[in-house]
Each structure stands twice: as C-alpha cells, then as structure tokens.
C-alpha cells in the first residue's frame, strides 16, 4: 500500500520454499546485493540482482561460465529513496536481459 508506514513483523516459522523445476522452466539465477548511496545529499538504497538465465536450472548448473552459450546475462535493480532494512525489497525492478537469436547474435532487452 502506498503511504503505509506500518511495519508488519512475523515471528512464526517461514513457509516452505517454492518448488523448483530442474528443466524446461525459465530460470534466473543470480546474486542480490543492496548498496546505499548518497546522491547530492539524498540517501538512496539500490537493490541489484545480476546473474544468468536460461530455459532450465539444469543448463545453468551444468555450464556456470556459459561456455556452451545456452545461458544469457541479466541485471535488475530497484532504487528506493526511503531507507528500508527489509531485504530483498518488493517493488518495481527495472533492468535488462540478453537474448540469443537463431543467428547466435545477442540482443539486450530493456525492461522499465
């Protein structure tokens, strides 16, 4: 909810993780980090996810350096001017992902 500053705390056990599918389901695997910056006196938190995606987790695990070319890079980030200790933060992420065509040329697709 926009403008809601109430903090909800849940002290109960976490739910089980979502089911993972080893193949034939698009999978993004990356690292998530939070960087705090000070841009012209305005504090900003940037939550950034970078990694590889493919048509299956099995392809990413079998070739983490993408030597066979079956995976592509991605990067998404969320900028927040409100300090927030929650990590990762939910909200709108913008970024890009590479897509390899039939001609083996990579195209960068930008999402805002």
């Amino acid at each position: 909810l926009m403008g809601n500053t109430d903090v909800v705390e849940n002290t109960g056990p976490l739910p089980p993780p979502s089911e993972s599918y080893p193949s034939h389901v698009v999978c993004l695997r990356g690292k998530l980090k939070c960087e705090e910056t000070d841009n012209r006196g305005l504090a900003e938190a940037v939550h950034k996810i970078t990694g590889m995606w493919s048509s299956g987790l099995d392809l990413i695990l079998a070739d983490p350096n993408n030597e066979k070319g079956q995976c592509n890079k991605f990067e998404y980030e969320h900028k927040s001017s409100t300090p927030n200790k929650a990590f990762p933060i939910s909200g709108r992420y913008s970024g890009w992902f590479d897509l390899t065509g039939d001609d083996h040329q990579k195209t960068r697709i930008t999402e805002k």
Side-chain angles (χ1 to χ4, degrees), residues 31-36 44-50 75-90 92-94:
K31 295 189 181 212
L32 171 64
K33 63 181 180 178
C34 179
E35 297 175 346
E36 292 186 17
E44 184 176 68
V46 178
H47 296 252
K48 187 180 284 190
I49 309 166
T50 56
E75 180 178 291
Y76 288 93
E77 67 180 24
H78 173 78
K79 293 181 180 179
S80 175
S81 59
T82 306
N84 192 332
K85 296 294 182 192
F87 186 72
I89 191 168
S90 65
R92 180 179 291 190
Y93 282 73
S94 60

Side-chain angles (χ1 to χ4, degrees), residues 37-90:
T37 63
D38 191 347
N39 188 7
R40 294 186 224 157
L42 298 173
E44 184 176 68
V46 178
H47 296 252
K48 187 180 284 190
I49 309 166
T50 56
M52 301 291 282
W53 76 273
S54 188
S55 60
L57 177 59
D58 57 337
L59 298 174
I60 297 172
L61 295 176
D63 187 17
N65 296 322
N66 197 30
E67 293 171 2
K68 297 177 184 175
Q70 295 182 314
C71 304
N72 283 288
K73 294 180 180 181
F74 74 87
E75 180 178 291
Y76 288 93
E77 67 180 24
H78 173 78
K79 293 181 180 179
S80 175
S81 59
T82 306
N84 192 332
K85 296 294 182 192
F87 186 72
I89 191 168
S90 65

